[in-house]
Amino acid sequence: MLRGVPTSLHSKYVPSKPFSCLDGSTTIPVEFVNDDYCDCRDGSDEPGTSACPNGRFFCENKGYIGTLIPSHLVGDGVCDCCDGSDEYETTIVCNNTCFELAQKTKAEHEAKRALHEAGVAKKKEIMAKSIVTQSTRLTRINELEQDLQKLENELKEKEELKQKAEIPETEAKERHHKLWEEQRAVREAIARDNQMREMFADLDTNNDSLVSTEELQKHTELDTDLENEFTVGEVRSILGADSVNFDEFNVTVFEQISNSYQPLQQPSTETSVDLDDLAAATEAHLKKEKEAAEADARLKQEETHFKEEEEEEAAAATETTEGDYEEDPNRQEASSHIATSLDHGKHIHDDTPPEYDDEAKRLIEIADHARNEYSEVERKVHDIKRQIEDLKKQSDVDVGIHGEYSAFIDQCYDYEEREYTYRTCMFKDAKQISKGGGSDVTIGYWDSWSGPADNKYLKMKYSNGATCWNGPARSLTVTFQCGIEHKIVDVREPTRCEYAMLFETPSACDETIAATLIHPDHQEF
């Protein structure tokens, strides 16, 4: 009886003919077959014994699936074939379990077939929806591109209107700014001239129309070397001479001392006065207050009518010479008002520009309106461009030959384990999120489909994630298998920094498996 030979090879083992080794290496008498001696290099002459180390014994396994086992397992006292045919020469009694295995395998195959059948039904829904979605997406892109063309034309019109409105606005603002700068320059010139005149009068204590070293030396606040006395040499270095007249003081001295200069405190003396003297003093004091008020009024008038005052001051400056300088009869009073003039100068130097006039305000309002209209249309243009870009990116994503993976677009899936949450955003990135509050770690960015040649859509690759400590950049391989729902079922790190994810989805279900019929008859490999 010929044992261990598949039915498909029975024609090679003819009892009336010499046997040719299946590898063609030699031909032997047929009686050498299964004689427990290995004659063929491929072991094909001993299919029913364990003589050849590379021999293969065929288990017929009637009612189940025929299988090949290594021939060295034949007669080893262990039942390897479900029908027990591998132990035909031993006393071992093998129970025939082929029927039970057939029933179990049939149930497993049926469950697998049913799973794929249900998954394929959902897969077809996804593909049908993908066709509609893609068509809708392309239609929407076309509509948006038409809207964009109209808006871009409108934007050009709004830009022209904006530019036209901004020209008179800019001119009005420039006129306003120029006038304000001129006014401020005049006010500053008046304030400086008043301050300079009062300071000269205050320093010229002997009324000789000169400021001498002796007069300036009294103002020790001008001494930059605070540790030593204010020497004549230091004073002369400021004046440039033993004394200076009004014009020289204006040109060379005033700017040096204006920031540090302080009027001398007038000494007060206590004397006994009678009622007449007191009345006279009171009258003089009231007169000074009146004159001070009049001086303040003059300063305000100068500020209001700065142009007229500028012309007057310029004319006065032209007519004034060194010999023509006349001492103000109220010089002592002017000295007492230096601080007042300086305080008033702070107001004059105010950098807050005045409000625009009504015409300028009207032009600014028109320009603002034009700018707002331009900005609104520009915002719409940017929004439509963004929508078109997003839709085109979605259209360019490879979601399978028939769009079976289109349900993954813009979707993220989580997998919870003890320390981390793994989040995969399809066609974007994958992250490892610590449950202990640490920062997220990117384990890869979408790279490509990486399945086998016959179906590349069974795996996807995420690469160039965060670099491991002293290691490579992290990466993730997602393997898809048939399932009723889209979900991650397992995540592991089989190799350092290289993660493996198992993902169930209807998109991976196979139409061929779903249509397979389970045959109860004998199957042979």
Side-chain angles (χ1 to χ4, degrees), residues 470-500:
N470 290 331
R474 290 175 172 83
S475 63
L476 169 69
T477 298
V478 181
T479 300
F480 294 102
Q481 66 180 26
C482 181
I484 302 300
E485 300 176 357
H486 305 296
K487 64 178 181 179
I488 304 171
V489 295
D490 188 39
V491 178
R492 299 185 182 184
E493 189 179 359
T495 305
R496 182 169 178 257
C497 304
E498 295 181 4
Y499 298 82

Coordinates of all heavy atoms in Angstrom, one line a residue, residues 470-500:
N470 N 19.3 59.3 22.0 CA 20.4 58.5 21.4 C 19.9 57.4 20.5 O 20.4 56.3 20.4 CB 21.2 57.8 22.5 CG 22.1 58.9 23.3 OD1 22.4 59.9 22.7 ND2 22.3 58.6 24.5
G471 N 18.8 57.7 19.8 CA 18.2 56.7 18.9 C 17.7 57.4 17.6 O 17.9 58.5 17.4
P472 N 17.0 56.6 16.8 CA 16.4 57.1 15.6 C 15.2 57.9 15.8 O 14.6 58.0 16.9 CB 16.1 55.8 14.8 CG 15.8 54.8 15.9 CD 16.7 55.1 17.1
A473 N 14.7 58.5 14.7 CA 13.4 59.1 14.7 C 12.3 58.1 14.9 O 12.3 57.0 14.3 CB 13.2 60.0 13.5
R474 N 11.3 58.4 15.6 CA 10.2 57.5 15.8 C 9.4 57.3 14.5 O 9.3 58.2 13.7 CB 9.2 58.0 16.9 CG 9.8 57.9 18.3 CD 8.9 58.6 19.4 NE 9.4 58.4 20.7 CZ 10.3 59.1 21.3 NH1 10.8 60.1 20.7 NH2 10.6 58.9 22.6
S475 N 8.8 56.1 14.4 CA 7.9 55.8 13.3 C 6.8 54.8 13.7 O 6.9 54.2 14.7 CB 8.8 55.2 12.1 OG 9.3 53.9 12.6
L476 N 5.8 54.7 12.8 CA 4.7 53.9 13.1 C 4.2 53.2 11.9 O 4.1 53.8 10.8 CB 3.5 54.7 13.7 CG 2.1 54.1 13.8 CD1 2.2 53.0 14.9 CD2 1.0 55.1 14.1
T477 N 3.9 51.9 12.0 CA 3.3 51.1 10.9 C 1.9 50.7 11.3 O 1.8 50.0 12.4 CB 4.2 49.9 10.5 OG1 5.5 50.3 10.1 CG2 3.5 49.1 9.4
V478 N 0.9 51.1 10.6 CA -0.5 50.7 10.9 C -0.9 49.6 9.9 O -0.8 49.7 8.7 CB -1.4 51.9 10.7 CG1 -2.8 51.5 11.0 CG2 -1.0 53.1 11.5
T479 N -1.3 48.4 10.5 CA -1.7 47.3 9.7 C -3.2 47.2 9.8 O -3.8 47.2 11.0 CB -1.1 46.0 10.2 OG1 0.4 46.1 10.1 CG2 -1.5 44.8 9.4
F480 N -3.9 47.1 8.7 CA -5.4 47.0 8.7 C -5.8 45.6 8.5 O -5.3 44.8 7.8 CB -5.9 47.9 7.5 CG -5.6 49.3 7.7 CD1 -4.6 49.9 7.0 CD2 -6.4 50.1 8.5 CE1 -4.3 51.3 7.1 CE2 -6.1 51.5 8.7 CZ -5.1 52.1 8.0
Q481 N -6.9 45.3 9.3 CA -7.6 44.0 9.1 C -9.1 44.2 9.1 O -9.6 45.3 9.6 CB -7.2 43.0 10.2 CG -7.6 43.4 11.6 CD -7.2 42.4 12.7 OE1 -6.2 41.7 12.5 NE2 -7.9 42.4 13.8
C482 N -9.8 43.3 8.6 CA -11.3 43.4 8.5 C -11.9 43.6 9.8 O -11.6 42.8 10.8 CB -11.8 42.2 7.7 SG -13.6 42.3 7.5
G483 N -12.8 44.5 9.9 CA -13.6 44.7 11.2 C -14.9 45.5 10.8 O -15.0 46.1 9.8
I484 N -15.9 45.4 11.7 CA -17.1 46.1 11.5 C -17.0 47.6 11.7 O -17.7 48.4 11.1 CB -18.3 45.5 12.3 CG1 -18.4 44.0 12.1 CG2 -19.6 46.2 12.1 CD1 -18.7 43.7 10.6
E485 N -16.1 48.0 12.6 CA -16.0 49.4 13.0 C -14.6 49.8 12.7 O -13.6 49.0 12.6 CB -16.3 49.6 14.4 CG -17.8 49.2 14.8 CD -18.0 49.4 16.3 OE1 -17.0 49.8 17.0 OE2 -19.1 49.2 16.7
H486 N -14.4 51.2 12.6 CA -13.0 51.7 12.5 C -12.5 51.9 14.0 O -13.0 52.7 14.7 CB -13.1 53.1 11.9 CG -13.7 53.2 10.5 ND1 -13.2 52.5 9.4 CD2 -14.9 53.8 10.1 CE1 -14.0 52.7 8.4 NE2 -15.0 53.5 8.8
K487 N -11.5 51.1 14.3 CA -10.9 51.2 15.7 C -9.5 50.6 15.8 O -9.2 49.7 15.0 CB -11.9 50.6 16.7 CG -12.0 49.1 16.6 CD -12.9 48.5 17.7 CE -13.1 47.0 17.5 NZ -14.0 46.5 18.6
I488 N -8.8 51.2 16.7 CA -7.4 50.6 17.0 C -7.6 49.5 18.0 O -8.3 49.7 19.0 CB -6.5 51.7 17.5 CG1 -6.4 52.9 16.6 CG2 -5.1 51.1 17.8 CD1 -5.7 54.1 17.2
V489 N -7.0 48.3 17.7 CA -7.2 47.2 18.6 C -5.9 46.8 19.4 O -5.9 46.1 20.3 CB -7.7 46.0 17.9 CG1 -9.1 46.2 17.4 CG2 -6.8 45.5 16.7
D490 N -4.8 47.4 18.9 CA -3.5 47.0 19.6 C -2.4 48.0 19.1 O -2.4 48.4 18.0 CB -3.1 45.6 19.3 CG -1.9 45.2 20.1 OD1 -1.9 45.5 21.3 OD2 -1.0 44.5 19.6
V491 N -1.5 48.4 20.1 CA -0.4 49.2 19.8 C 0.8 48.6 20.6 O 0.7 48.3 21.8 CB -0.5 50.7 20.2 CG1 0.7 51.4 19.9 CG2 -1.7 51.3 19.5
R492 N 1.9 48.4 19.9 CA 3.1 47.8 20.5 C 4.3 48.5 20.0 O 4.3 49.3 19.0 CB 3.2 46.3 20.2 CG 2.0 45.5 20.8 CD 2.2 44.0 20.6 NE 1.1 43.3 21.2 CZ 1.0 42.0 21.2 NH1 2.0 41.2 20.8 NH2 -0.1 41.4 21.7
E493 N 5.5 48.3 20.7 CA 6.7 48.8 20.2 C 7.7 47.6 20.1 O 8.6 47.4 21.0 CB 7.3 49.9 21.3 CG 8.5 50.6 20.8 CD 9.0 51.6 21.8 OE1 8.3 51.8 22.9 OE2 10.0 52.3 21.5
P494 N 7.6 46.9 19.1 CA 8.4 45.7 18.9 C 9.9 46.0 18.8 O 10.7 45.2 19.3 CB 7.9 45.0 17.6 CG 7.3 46.1 16.9 CD 6.7 47.1 17.9
T495 N 10.2 47.1 18.2 CA 11.6 47.6 18.1 C 11.7 49.0 18.7 O 10.8 49.7 18.5 CB 12.1 47.5 16.7 OG1 11.9 46.2 16.1 CG2 13.6 47.9 16.6
R496 N 12.8 49.3 19.3 CA 12.9 50.6 20.0 C 12.6 51.7 19.0 O 13.2 51.8 17.9 CB 14.3 50.8 20.5 CG 14.6 52.1 21.2 CD 15.9 52.1 22.0 NE 16.1 53.4 22.6 CZ 17.0 54.3 22.2 NH1 17.6 54.1 21.1 NH2 17.1 55.4 22.8
C497 N 11.7 52.6 19.4 CA 11.2 53.7 18.6 C 10.5 53.4 17.3 O 10.1 54.3 16.5 CB 12.4 54.6 18.2 SG 13.4 55.2 19.7
E498 N 10.2 52.1 17.1 CA 9.4 51.7 15.9 C 8.1 51.1 16.5 O 8.1 50.0 17.1 CB 10.1 50.7 15.1 CG 11.4 51.4 14.4 CD 12.1 50.4 13.5 OE1 11.6 49.2 13.3 OE2 13.1 50.7 13.0
Y499 N 7.0 51.7 16.2 CA 5.7 51.3 16.8 C 4.9 50.6 15.7 O 5.0 50.8 14.5 CB 4.9 52.5 17.3 CG 5.6 53.3 18.4 CD1 6.6 54.2 18.1 CD2 5.3 53.1 19.7 CE1 7.2 54.9 19.1 CE2 5.9 53.8 20.7 CZ 6.9 54.7 20.4 OH 7.5 55.4 21.4
A500 N 4.1 49.6 16.2 CA 3.2 48.8 15.3 C 1.8 48.9 15.9 O 1.5 48.7 17.1 CB 3.7 47.4 15.3

